[in-house]
Amino acid sequence: RSESGVRALYATKRRSEDVPLAICVGDAQEVGNYLETGHLASGLLEELLPGPVTVISWTKSSSDLPNCINPGRRLLGVRVPNSCFVRAVARQYGHALALTSANQSGDRSTVDVTEFLEIWDDCTLIFDGGKIPSSGLGSTIVNLSVPGKYSIQRRGDACQITEETLLRYGLAKNDVFL
């Protein structure tokens, strides 16, 4: 909820402010506070999340996101990480958190705190929750903004299981990116 915090996040990552940020919430049920989800089948988000999946859809006009999060963009990515600690922080904070991988922009996603030593000086706090069980591909990013369709925008750690779940819920693959 802090514009200076969002700017610091971009600076630490050496990331262009034209590249959108995702947000993180504590539970799958909170995704609908930030994204239009009425067109999604009941139970779909709860089956995908928590986990290494970022869900993209239209930003809900009634969300309490600060204007500095992806200004001028209507699509938003939301995650519920498979980390009890991160979800607890989001729940305690009571609002969405800006979320990105702990690396400089363009670098491979990190899975251990020792893999992003070059940005430690820019971090106010560093929490070591142990090594993240991941290939380092990052989250699978799936666009669910078109009713009845999905498009994979990044093939991450959970791509296969995500696609299987989406197909089981009757969504058709859409290769058109928004």
Side-chain angles (χ1 to χ4, degrees):
R1 301 187 59 79
S2 157
E3 187 165 342
S4 62
V6 170
R7 295 211 185 287
L9 181 61
Y10 274 106
T12 297
K13 288 191 61 76
R14 279 84 170 158
R15 181 177 184 161
S16 166
E17 291 189 18
D18 294 332
V19 178
L21 290 172
I23 62 169
C24 157
V25 294
D27 297 289
Q29 295 81 5
E30 294 177 65
V31 172
N33 295 340
Y34 299 95
L35 297 182
E36 295 294 342
T37 59
H39 63 286
L40 300 176
S42 177
L44 174 62
L45 293 175
E46 291 77 7
E47 192 161 336
L48 293 172
L49 306 166
V53 177
T54 300
V55 174
I56 295 175
S57 193
W58 302 106
T59 305
K60 198 169 211 169
S61 60
S62 61
S63 78
D64 65 355
L65 286 177
N67 293 332
C68 60
I69 299 285
N70 307 335
R73 294 182 181 269
R74 294 212 40 236
L75 292 174
L76 175 69
V78 180
R79 284 211 50 211
V80 181
N82 200 20
S83 164
C84 293
F85 174 76
V86 174
R87 292 194 329 264
V89 169
R91 286 184 201 116
Q92 183 66 35
Y93 182 60
H95 299 280
L97 304 171
L99 182 73
T100 183
S101 53
N103 62 355
Q104 289 185 338
S105 190
D107 290 352
R108 186 172 174 86
S109 293
T110 60
V111 297
D112 187 272
V113 295
T114 60
E115 294 178 355
F116 61 94
L117 295 170
E118 70 278 2
I119 64 172
W120 278 23
D121 289 342
D122 295 326
C123 298
T124 303
L125 297 169
I126 299 167
F127 297 98
D128 185 354
K131 189 172 182 174
I132 298 170
S134 169
S135 67
L137 293 175
S139 67
T140 295
I141 301 176
V142 60
N143 186 321
L144 299 175
S145 63
V146 177
K149 299 186 184 236
Y150 75 92
S151 65
I152 300 293
Q153 303 209 331
R154 181 174 72 192
R155 298 183 73 77
D157 284 331
C159 192
Q160 182 176 345
I161 189 73
T162 298
E163 285 200 87
E164 290 170 1
T165 301
L166 296 168
L167 292 169
R168 197 170 65 255
Y169 273 83
L171 284 100
K173 190 169 189 172
N174 179 11
D175 291 324
V176 177
F177 292 83
L178 295 175

